[in-house]
Amino acid sequence: MVSVNGPVGVERTEDEREALDELLDIRQSIDNIDAALVHLLAERFKFTQQVGRLKAAHGLPPADPDRERAQIHRLRSLAEESRLDPAFAEKFLNFIVAEVIHHHEQIAATSPTAD
Amino acid sequence: MVSVNGPVGVERTEDEREALDELLDIRQSIDNIDAALVHLLAERFKFTQQVGRLKAAHGLPPADPDRERAQIHRLRSLAEESRLDPAFAEKFLNFIVAEVIHHHEQIAATSPTAD
């Protein structure tokens, strides 16, 4: 359920009502996008957990600076194409990768094959 | 292009080669998901820019704590359904909302209708 803040007990003008209707409509689209984002992130972490187990089983280091540089470069250029701020795309990837490395360290710490 | 770190000039065993093939395959899926995430984020910010303009035009405050609470609650339960860590989903939303509020403040600062 979406909610809109505003002064209580104040009568709204026609113009304000239209603006609030528009706001609720846009928020519904944002909620749909957020559901898609959550489901994609869940799938992404399933894949990175797989990577973590693979790396732990073969003694590969959790972080991979070359791979991260390639990802940053690719995401910045995808962001430019889709008119997303490339700096934000990079910040977003760093945010995700920090969580992934945290997961990988946990896997390495509990895996009998990791050193 | 995906890359794999590892010792240079060291011959790989059959087992290691298989592990690296699997790693490259998983990374391709991660790259596909990341492209989808970037495009969804670009759409999401288009909608929140629209919200920002609407709020600025009608003098509504950039932040809306009730809406944010409802979003957090919804995203945490979507995360549970899809086996994503709910705490991460909440952190993710906070990360996005911080960027959105930053955009809205910029819009309010440049809009002639904002106070």
Side-chain angles (χ1 to χ4, degrees), chain A residues 13 16-17 23 35 38-39 41 46 49 61 64-66 77 79 110:
Chain A
T13 64
E16 278 173 334
R17 270 195 301 272
L23 186 57
V38 163
H39 287 99
L41 284 169
K46 279 169 70 179
Q49 296 276 9
D64 185 339
D66 286 347
S77 96
T110 55

Side-chain angles (χ1 to χ4, degrees), chain A residues 35-73:
Chain A
L37 288 170
V38 163
H39 287 99
L40 280 173
L41 284 169
E43 281 306 298
R44 194 190 194 283
F45 283 118
K46 279 169 70 179
F47 282 122
T48 53
Q49 296 276 9
Q50 244 180 292
V51 170
R53 283 191 296 270
L54 202 63
K55 283 181 169 181
H58 296 272
L60 295 163
D64 185 339
D66 286 347
R67 160 76 174 156
E68 281 165 42
R69 261 192 297 277
Q71 282 176 296
I72 286 170
H73 186 262

Side-chain angles (χ1 to χ4, degrees), chain A residues 2 15 34 44 58 67, chain B residues 2 15 31 34 44 58 67:
Chain A
V2 280
D15 181 64
D34 282 349
R44 194 190 194 283
H58 296 272
R67 160 76 174 156
Chain B
V2 280
D15 179 65
D31 286 346
D34 282 349
R44 194 190 194 283
H58 296 272
R67 159 77 174 155

